[in-house]
Amino acid sequence: MSVTTAKTDAVMKEPPASATPSDQRERDRMRRRLARRRGGGWWPYLFLAPWFVGLFGLTIYPMLDSLYLSFTNFDLLTPAQWVGLDNYDKMFTDDPVFWDSVHATLLYVLVSVPLKLALALAVAMLLNRDLRGIGLYRAAFYLPSLLGGAVAIAIVWRQVFGGEGLFNDFLAWFGIKGQDWISSPDTAIYTLVLLAVWQFGTPMVIFLAGLKQLPKDVYEAAAIDGAGNITRFFKITLPLLTPIVFFNVVLQIIDAFKTFTPAFVVSNGTGGPLNSTMLYSLYLYKKGFTDLQMGYASALAWVLFLVIAGFTAVNFIASRYWVHYDD
Amino acid sequence: MGHQISRRTLFRTASGLAVAGALGSSLSACSGGTGAGSTSSDLTMTWWGSDDRHNAYKKTLKYFQEKNPKIKIRETYSGYEGYFDKFNTNVAGGSAPDLLQMDTALVAQYARKGVLAPLDSYVGKTLDLTGFSRTLLAAGTVDGKLYGVPSGIGVNQLTVNRSGLEQLGLKLPDREWTWADLKKTATDVHKKSGGKIYGVDDGGGSTLQCFEIFAREKGQQFFSDDGKKVGFTADTLQEWWEYWAEMRKANASPPPAITSAAHNDLTKNAVVIGKALFTFDSGVYGAGGSITDAQLDFLPTPQGGFSGAREGNFVNGGVLLSATKASKKVADSVKIMTFFAQDETAIKDMQLLRGIPPTEKARDLIASGLTETDKLNMENADYISQRVGKATDVLDAPQPPPQGADQIWDLLFQANLAIAFGKKSIKAQIGEFFDQAEGILGG
């Protein structure tokens, strides 16, 4: 270490007589490159150690362990027994609830993600202007996302959309007779979708950041050319924003696939009625911790992993055709 | 690309990291190891129940610790939902409680997996079971060994909102009644209330509370002796589901949305929310009488009206107290079990909160201090257990249920619900039920 420092110092002490600003910059860059090559050793790894411990101990090891468990019969209480591909075989050929959960999850993902992003973008557009107290409005719209993951909100949701709930009271003002939205297999999943959409804060903030970066001159040019609001949105805002849209789509899809808490709380841990809110993660939890089939649950987890990875890969590939990067 | 990070790279990297993080957490959350032994020096005890039960337990345990200053107890308690999920995780993680309230329905699987400590070597020494009948102890006995001390007598019954019935000008049916009588009374409730109240909770999917009794009236157990199959026939199930389909059609029972909302949630039970006057019950709604302001009363499950119908009832063990095998404090846990079973103060504090007390002595002790509802509850339980004792045609009390039993019960519930929602026909549902049941129990 001390050797490196000495040499770097030596370089610094001998500036050529005719140093121009650009030479100086060139030399600085050289110096940084040298330092990068010689310095380091094991020091950086020491500082990275806490992260490595977490990565290997809490992520990679458990992942591999769950991969192993997915080929076993494991009830948590007695040692695991190797059963090969039985768990995967059973899942696809002999488990109707698995298909119920796949159905519920896909419905949830495919309906909630587009709605949530559309709402997030719409609100971000509204909030992207210079108004007095705009910060307050932004905070207000972000608030549901801070609350949304909480069990308390899911409990409130259950109350609001229950048979005697607030939502039916609201409908009654218009003379509409509601039903128990949570307890009907045809509507229960949509109460969860609504809960997800309501938590549009995070993508909204990201959209807002993106909107603020859009170059003003393009809009001015468009305005001079007579482009209206709608044209400007579709011809300028949206194309320029596609990297942000892409980022949000990827994240929200992954998030939606892994949704657990609302389904657990709203259905009281049952995934009912008739498995209509049996989101995949909830089923996985039930299998592992209630039915004591941890091997099967691990197999479910790996299938979910592959499905999400697949969705994400498709997203990335498709992004080549619609995401516009201006570099 | 040079030194500058392009927007493309930035987004790709960010998305990639997010993907990795998000996926990693979903997988690593699902992995467990088996350790052993609790680290704390306190004796840990867990139970589930209502607030009333929590308070009674805490009061009694406080008194126990005053008398036994060497034993320090750390209490954890919750509702039933999630209780065994947590217990499973704790056992797998090596932090199982020393002493726990155990469900008679689950004791067999935990005993067979080696999670619970056999208590036989303590019986007659520090475990005082004076006054417990053999049939009652059967509820905690698995493969000939005792793994749990029953807290009391549990019977299946109907909890009735008697004041609601009287307001409609209806009389409480006789205890010797049949399924046809139930149908008539329940239909009357709907008619007399002007269609506002249904008669009886939909029992089509309730195994423990009523279908098991119905099957036993037909001379069939719910599970076969070896626990590898269900013990009843397709005809029995079909008759049962058809009965409830008629009940729903006659508005004697509520529509499925109400049944579904009450699943796993006592507070949404049709009697509790005032939508029905009768509910099938294994002792939770009556105890403490706190679920509704109405005057409750209790009836035995109806009897079969068909020829050759048998006595279907049986006496169950309420809840159990069990010690875990990995615990180093089984001896202390046994002391606590004895305390709950025999100590006068403990018996008086617990009242009916863990079922009707198991011994004559205990029943006499609490008799004077009981509320009207609790008195009626105890009378009905006495009536049922006497009738079961006298019956000559009654089947043996069910074996502790096999592994997977809870999945079968859930299956029955869901199947009945699917019929009620009109998603499936009874016929189709019966085929599916037996198919899936075979997979769960056989595999």
Side-chain angles (χ1 to χ4, degrees), chain A residues 65 75-77 96 158 183 185-186 251 254 258 268 270 273-274 285 287 289-290 292 305 316 325-327, chain B residues 6-8 15 18-19 22 25 27-28 31 85 88-89 91-92 113 257 260-261 264-265 407 414 421 423 436:
Chain A
D65 199 29
D75 66 6
L76 271 180
L77 309 174
R158 209 164 103 196
S183 307
D186 299 322
L251 272 197
I254 294 174
K258 296 190 331 178
N268 213 353
T270 64
L274 297 183
Y285 169 84
K287 276 288 154 197
F289 292 96
T290 307
L292 291 176
F305 176 83
F316 271 86
Y325 296 98
D326 61 350
D327 56 42
Chain B
S6 75
R7 269 155 66 86
R8 187 191 302 262
S15 308
V19 171
S25 69
L27 283 174
S28 50
S31 171
D85 295 354
N88 296 337
T89 321
V91 172
K113 286 185 195 303
S260 164
N264 273 0
D265 189 349
Q407 289 177 64
Q414 300 292 349
F421 272 120
K423 301 273 176 195
Q436 290 184 38

Side-chain angles (χ1 to χ4, degrees), chain B residues 218-240:
Chain B
K218 295 250 170 203
Q220 297 159 9
Q221 293 274 22
F222 191 82
F223 292 109
S224 68
D225 284 343
D226 61 2
K228 299 272 182 214
K229 284 201 293 276
V230 294
F232 53 87
T233 63
D235 287 348
T236 304
L237 186 57
Q238 180 165 354
E239 195 180 325
W240 179 250

Side-chain angles (χ1 to χ4, degrees), chain A residues 71-86:
Chain A
F71 298 110
T72 66
N73 214 339
F74 179 47
D75 66 6
L76 271 180
L77 309 174
T78 49
Q81 295 157 328
W82 184 265
V83 293
L85 288 169
D86 277 12

